[in-house]
């Protein structure tokens, strides 16, 4: 009986030893697999050239559109305007420099960059095509007269911040009783001229036009259309937006955290007489109609 008990005890000790060895092997394999998976995930995260670019327009709502698109889990955005295609110093640095300005993304995620200065720069369309003929382009537009006043307001603010004088808008815009076609802010609002250059390079279906005025009034419908254009899953919802009565525009809500655009957005416009604004609206009448024909839709502009 005693020998039987001793033998049974030895068998139990042997089994316990073998079980410990097996557990150690399993832990080692699990750790190795986890490390390999983590390493693989890390290696898959890369700086990628943009698959979509917001090309303009200046003071048209490009920052708002970028931040709203960034609500989507499959979108990563370049935080700053890169000005790669329209600034010669940057362009000479090559695509490796441009790629380095982009965010890290995983396979399947979309990199988006926005530089509103691209739209009105003649050399940019061909340069973008050379980078990627399949890139998707987003153009956000607003009432060109309102855009011009907003453009002037930003320049005026920057000048005053640096304690530099700047002429009133009426003096810059109106010469000898007529709208001055040489005023640069006005030229940036001639959307049809700039779009024509892009359509010489890219097919119309590769350029999605966003209504900037509608985006301010009710963001969700415009974002849903942008998702479709970019072949993104419909993940942005009305719950991602709430109206901030103090600021006077919509703010963003994601993962329980809210974000509003900076204080420069919604800045009161510089004064322009009603008479001068009326002349401006009449001046844009024909250019606006030409733009409507090019994009196949119309907008409620002055």
């Amino acid at each position: 009986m005693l020998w039987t008990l001793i033998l049974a005890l030895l068998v139990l000790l042997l089994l316990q030893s073998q079980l410990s060895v097996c557990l150690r092997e399993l832990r080692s394999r699990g750790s190795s697999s986890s490390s390999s998976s983590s390493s693989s995930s890390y290696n898959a995260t890369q700086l990628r050239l943009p698959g979509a670019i917001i090309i303009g327009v200046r003071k048209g709502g490009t920052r708002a559109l970028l931040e709203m698109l960034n609500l989507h889990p499959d979108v990563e955005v370049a935080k700053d305007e890169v000005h790669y295609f329209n600034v010669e110093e940057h362009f000479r640095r090559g695509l490796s420099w441009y790629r380095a300005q982009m965010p890290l993304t995983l396979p399947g995620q979309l990199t988006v960059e926005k530089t509103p200065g691209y739209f009105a720069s003649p050399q940019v369309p061909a340069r973008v095509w050379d980078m990627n003929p399949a890139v998707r382009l987003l153009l956000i537009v607003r009432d060109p007269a309102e855009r011009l006043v907003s453009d002037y307001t930003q320049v005026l603010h920057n000048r005053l911040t640096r304690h530099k004088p700047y002429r009133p808008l009426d003096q810059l815009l109106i010469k000898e009783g007529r709208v001055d076609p040489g005023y640069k802010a006005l030229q940036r609002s001639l959307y049809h001229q700039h779009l024509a250059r892009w359509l010489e390079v890219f097919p119309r279906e590769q350029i999605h036009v966003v209504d900037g005025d509608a985006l301010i009034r009710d963001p969700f419908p415009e974002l849903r259309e942008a998702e479709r254009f970019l072949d993104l899953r419909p993940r942005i919802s009305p719950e991602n937006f709430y109206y901030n009565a103090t600021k006077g525009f919509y703010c963003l809500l994601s993962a329980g955290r809210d974000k509003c655009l900076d204080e420069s957005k919604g800045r009161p416009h510089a004064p322009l007489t009603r008479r001068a604004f009326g002349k401006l609206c009449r001046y844009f009448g024909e250019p606006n109609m030409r733009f409507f024909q090019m994009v196949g839709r119309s907008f409620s502009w002055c």
Side-chain angles (χ1 to χ4, degrees):
M1 178 66 70
L2 179 61
W3 287 108
T4 303
L5 290 173
I6 292 173
L7 181 61
L9 182 59
L10 289 172
V11 170
L12 287 173
L13 290 172
L14 180 62
L15 290 173
Q16 184 179 15
S17 176
Q18 291 178 337
L19 180 60
S20 296
V21 171
C22 290
L23 287 173
R24 280 196 299 270
E25 289 182 355
L26 286 173
R27 291 193 190 102
S28 176
R29 291 175 184 175
S31 174
S32 174
S33 174
S34 174
S35 175
S36 174
S37 175
S38 174
S39 175
S40 174
S41 175
Y42 176 80
N43 290 335
T45 305
Q46 297 178 8
L47 298 171
R48 294 175 170 83
L49 292 171
I53 302 176
I54 301 173
I55 59 174
V57 299
R58 173 170 158 158
K59 305 309 296 179
T62 57
R63 172 56 60 180
L65 178 59
L66 186 78
E67 296 291 350
M68 291 175 183
L69 286 174
N70 202 27
L71 291 168
H72 199 287
D74 294 336
V75 171
E76 292 292 342
V77 305
K79 301 303 180 184
D80 300 314
E81 294 178 5
V82 182
H83 291 278
Y84 172 66
F85 298 103
N86 65 327
V87 173
E88 294 305 314
E89 179 185 354
H90 294 168
F91 189 70
R92 285 195 296 267
R93 295 175 180 177
L95 284 176
S96 59
W97 180 88
Y98 184 46
R99 184 183 288 106
Q101 314 310 308
M102 298 301 124
L104 289 167
T105 56
L106 290 166
Q109 286 188 308
L110 177 68
T111 299
V112 180
E113 187 243 315
K114 78 102 175 172
T115 299
Y118 289 161
F119 182 56
S121 299
Q123 74 276 25
V124 170
R127 290 177 172 183
V128 174
W129 174 272
D130 288 341
M131 178 202 69
N132 180 7
V135 69
R136 303 190 185 210
L137 307 171
L138 296 111
L139 174 66
I140 179 168
V141 294
R142 63 186 290 201
D143 186 315
E146 294 286 349
R147 193 220 65 81
L148 181 152
V149 178
S150 182
D151 196 330
Y152 170 86
T153 301
Q154 177 174 304
V155 175
L156 174 65
H157 174 78
N158 294 340
R159 298 277 297 189
L160 294 178
T161 300
R162 297 194 299 269
H163 306 287
K164 293 184 177 181
Y166 201 57
R167 293 166 60 192
L169 179 54
D170 292 70
Q171 294 181 16
L172 292 171
L173 181 63
I174 306 297
K175 283 189 177 181
E176 299 179 356
R178 297 183 178 182
V179 171
D180 179 11
Y183 181 39
K184 287 186 177 180
L186 181 139
Q187 293 172 0
R188 284 191 282 266
S189 281
L190 297 174
Y191 302 151
H192 72 290
Q193 291 185 359
H194 309 304
L195 181 60
R197 285 195 296 266
W198 286 89
L199 292 177
E200 290 175 358
V201 179
F202 287 93
R204 172 66 184 88
E205 59 269 18
Q206 218 164 310
I207 304 174
H208 177 66
V209 179
V210 178
D211 185 340
D213 296 312
L215 188 75
I216 294 173
R217 292 192 304 269
D218 185 9
F220 176 67
E222 291 295 322
L223 265 295
R224 178 50 52 87
E225 290 296 323
E227 281 180 322
R228 293 192 186 103
F229 171 71
L230 297 171
D231 284 337
L232 293 170
R233 297 172 296 160
R235 295 294 298 274
I236 300 174
S237 72
E239 286 69 35
N240 288 124
F241 308 98
Y242 72 94
Y243 187 76
N244 187 311
T246 302
K247 292 182 175 293
F249 50 79
Y250 279 87
C251 295
L252 316 182
L253 187 63
S254 178
R257 293 182 294 181
D258 64 343
K259 179 177 182 179
C260 290
L261 300 178
D262 64 48
E263 60 182 10
S264 69
K265 310 305 176 184
R267 181 185 291 139
H269 279 179
L272 179 65
T273 64
R274 183 176 299 180
R275 183 178 181 183
F277 190 79
K279 289 183 178 182
L280 187 60
C281 288
R282 288 190 293 274
Y283 182 89
F284 282 128
E286 182 181 346
N288 287 348
M289 291 302 298
R290 295 176 67 178
F291 178 73
F292 298 164
Q293 293 171 358
M294 295 171 76
V295 299
R297 62 184 292 193
S298 59
F299 299 87
S300 299
W301 295 339
C302 72

